[in-house]
Amino acid sequence: MFVLGIESSCDETAAAVVTERKELLSNVVFSQQEHKAFGGVVPEIAARAHLQRVDDIVETAVKNAGIGFSDLSAVAAAGGPGLIGGVIVGVMTAKAIAAVHDIPFIAVNHLEGHALTARLTADISFPYLLFLTSGGHCQILAVENVGKYKRLGATIDDAAGEAFDKVAKMLGLGYPGGPMIERYAETGDDKRFDLPRPMVGKEGCDLSFSGLKTAVRRLIETSGTFSEKDKADMAACFQRAVSDEIVSRLKNGIKMFKKLYPDGKNLVVGGGVAANMALRRDLMALAEKNGMTFFAPPVRLCTDNGAMIAWAGMERFLKGSVDSLDFAPRPRWPLDPSAKR
Ligand code: KG4
Ligand code: ZN
């Protein structure tokens, strides 16, 4: 079976084809460069850029997979949450392919794409504890099954990726900030600046990054000039503080998870920030300390891509869970609808 997946919910226009045997036959990702001058994604520009490129990218993905459109078993698109203009572009493209080739259409929750990606490259059974960390979302979830999520905690302010991007902007490192901070941090001294770990020691497993970002801003403002060495040190201190905050909150998350699922022993990460090697190392150590096995998708499958949508689409397709062509794109779409915030 072949499922085509289309991703267009933020600033990546992407498409991929996967099989039910976890073969990733193609994975075409185009990261829009149009936003660089603005230091962040401009929704209108993103929507237009998706529209310009989506047909080519989808055609290339099908061609690179060595198949034709008539071989597809189903077509999936990210149906939200995300920037609505872009989501509409991907969903309309997928619906048109579904209608022309008379195959099922599947609207994939973008967050479910991140949540299930690790299962494309490793055999991970349910339930598992998931740390989902991207530019717009930061949550700790129990993944019970495809489509079944229980949120244990979430950020009370910024997402971790958003904090990476904002701090990178303050340091003049460009967008997206995560990879640049990681690069600068490699040569920096992670003990030079004293930064807060906002939620450490508190009950539950909610997270917070906004105070950390403000502390960085204050230090930059009061220091006058900021040399390359200062930037590297700040990047290292910031990355360390983010990782400490996450590890400390996940420690509580693991306790909550184990209470609910005494047999659950897998810790999984997903989303763009999961590409961060320092964080991955810390999470691996945390998992080991708590008798859990740690899984992270390959770095290129952490940031937005078509494979995550194709694979989540395949998982849904195999369960017979497909959507009607009446599906309306969703700017908001929580994985756990019972979660309050
Ligand atoms: O999952 P993603 O591609 O898009 C969303 O769904 O939001 O995540 C993008 C976020 C950005 O904030 C980016 O700065 C961050 O992931 N990111 C990283 C790294 N690579 C991407 N953050 C830290 N370290 C990285 N290596
Ligand atoms: Zn994403």
Side-chain angles (χ1 to χ4, degrees), residues 12 110 114 134-136 161-162 164-165 176-179 182 271-273 275-276 302-304:
E12 263 82 31
H110 177 88
H114 283 308
S134 69
E162 197 179 345
F164 267 98
D165 293 336
E182 181 166 17
V273 182
N276 188 283
C302 287
T303 46
D304 290 350

Side-chain angles (χ1 to χ4, degrees), residues 22-257:
K22 304 191 174 189
E23 292 151 309
L24 178 54
L25 299 181
S26 64
N27 189 29
V28 186
V29 182
F30 181 85
S31 298
Q32 300 176 355
Q33 301 300 307
E34 287 89 337
H35 310 285
K36 283 221 180 311
F38 302 95
V41 181
V42 184
E44 283 301 314
I45 295 177
R48 219 166 303 147
H50 285 303
L51 195 55
Q52 268 166 12
R53 297 197 188 91
V54 71
D55 288 344
D56 273 356
I57 283 167
V58 165
E59 258 183 63
T60 308
V62 172
K63 197 169 125 229
N64 289 358
I67 60 168
F69 280 92
S70 56
D71 297 314
L72 292 173
S73 319
V75 53
L83 302 174
I84 196 67
V87 175
I88 290 171
V89 171
V91 165
M92 290 307 291
T93 306
K95 282 181 180 176
I97 294 168
V100 169
H101 298 280
D102 197 20
I103 51 174
F105 161 73
I106 300 159
V108 167
N109 183 320
H110 177 88
L111 301 175
E112 178 155 63
H114 283 308
L116 299 177
T117 302
R119 279 168 54 86
L120 171 61
T121 49
D123 289 322
I124 308 166
S125 55
F126 299 117
Y128 54 83
L129 179 63
L130 172 74
F131 180 50
L132 197 168
T133 178
S134 69
H137 298 268
C138 194
Q139 308 177 0
I140 296 173
L141 299 137
V143 183
E144 292 177 352
N145 210 321
V146 177
K148 271 202 92 185
Y149 299 86
K150 190 172 176 58
R151 195 159 94 183
L152 306 178
T155 180
I156 57 167
D157 40 57
D158 293 348
E162 197 179 345
F164 267 98
D165 293 336
K166 286 179 179 164
V167 166
K169 198 173 176 181
M170 289 177 217
L171 293 171
L173 304 184
Y175 182 87
M180 290 307 290
I181 297 258
E182 181 166 17
R183 197 175 312 158
Y184 267 72
E186 275 164 21
T187 57
D189 169 6
D190 69 359
K191 297 193 179 58
R192 178 167 159 206
F193 299 105
D194 190 19
L195 295 174
R197 276 75 170 149
M199 303 289 275
V200 171
K202 300 213 168 97
E203 246 179 58
C205 65
D206 284 341
L207 306 106
S208 165
F209 298 99
S210 148
L212 176 53
K213 178 192 69 189
T214 311
V216 172
R217 173 172 296 128
R218 239 181 256 131
L219 282 166
I220 295 175
E221 279 168 4
T222 50
S223 77
T225 55
F226 231 63
S227 69
E228 286 296 293
K229 164 86 173 95
D230 297 334
K231 287 181 187 179
D233 290 348
M234 184 57 89
C237 290
F238 169 75
Q239 186 173 272
R240 168 97 334 268
V242 169
S243 194
D244 285 354
E245 166 86 357
I246 291 170
V247 165
S248 130
R249 304 312 283 159
L250 262 173
K251 241 187 233 167
N252 288 1
I254 289 173
K255 281 190 201 130
M256 293 160 78
F257 176 73

